[in-house]
Amino acid sequence: MKSNKFFRFVSHHRMMCSFLFSLPPIFICAAALAMIEAGALPYLIIIFLFVFLSYLFCLSCSNFFIINANKELEKNCDPNSLLRETTEALKYERNGMNRQIYLIDYCVAMGALGEHEFAYRQLSEINIDRYAGIPPIAKVIYYNNLGYYGGLIGKKETEDLLHKKAMDIFNLMKPSKQKETLTLTMLSAKASFCLRQGDFAGALDYANQMKPNNNYEKIETAWLFSEIYLAQND
């Protein structure tokens, strides 16, 4: 599709496109300001405003492919698209905070392909608190995933500590649609914690509260129930 090619080009040349897209409105506004003989400050405000808006548009083009790849994972349980898009994004992304977010998604794809140790190692190298602007939802996903992959490779104590950290951040988040999207993930983490403690009733209670919205979540929920039932009858 032509639109996809356009978004791809913009995502690969974000800074250049941000500048070029901002030029037409800047020239139009500058001409209008010249007619009323405005001072220097309005010109600077106009330049900053349109460059910033152009940058946000170009950033949304970069995220367009990642969002669609995540939807592909949720709908068809296929992580290959997410792996491909995050690999592509990491080649061109220079912003440190955005690179961290793309790397977290990259590790989700690698983990879904069974590369748990690799995903844990890659996530361990991220300093998630380095950038003040990183959103809480990214931190919750980061600590939860790091704990989950740690648990899969035998780091059970680390798993509990990281899941607790994820839960603490989650509880501090204000009610929002973003927080709602994490509800199933956090219920799964609570159920897994109870399961490791031998609290089968607690694990089932949390698991029964999980309401999967897509195929990926349905598989995650069914897998959790199977783990609980197998542990009960072990």
Side-chain angles (χ1 to χ4, degrees), residues 132-145:
I134 200 158
I137 187 172
K139 290 187 176 183
V140 173
I141 294 171
Y142 168 76
Y143 285 118
N144 188 70
N145 288 358

Side-chain angles (χ1 to χ4, degrees), residues 17 48 51 82 86 89 91 110 121 137 141 144 147 154 158-159 170 173 179 191 202-203 207 225 233:
C17 290
F48 172 80
V51 170
L82 183 59
T86 49
K91 289 179 183 177
M110 292 300 292
R121 188 169 64 252
I137 187 172
I141 294 171
N144 188 70
T158 301
E159 181 178 12
F170 175 79
M173 291 175 65
K179 187 171 184 177
F225 272 110
N233 296 303

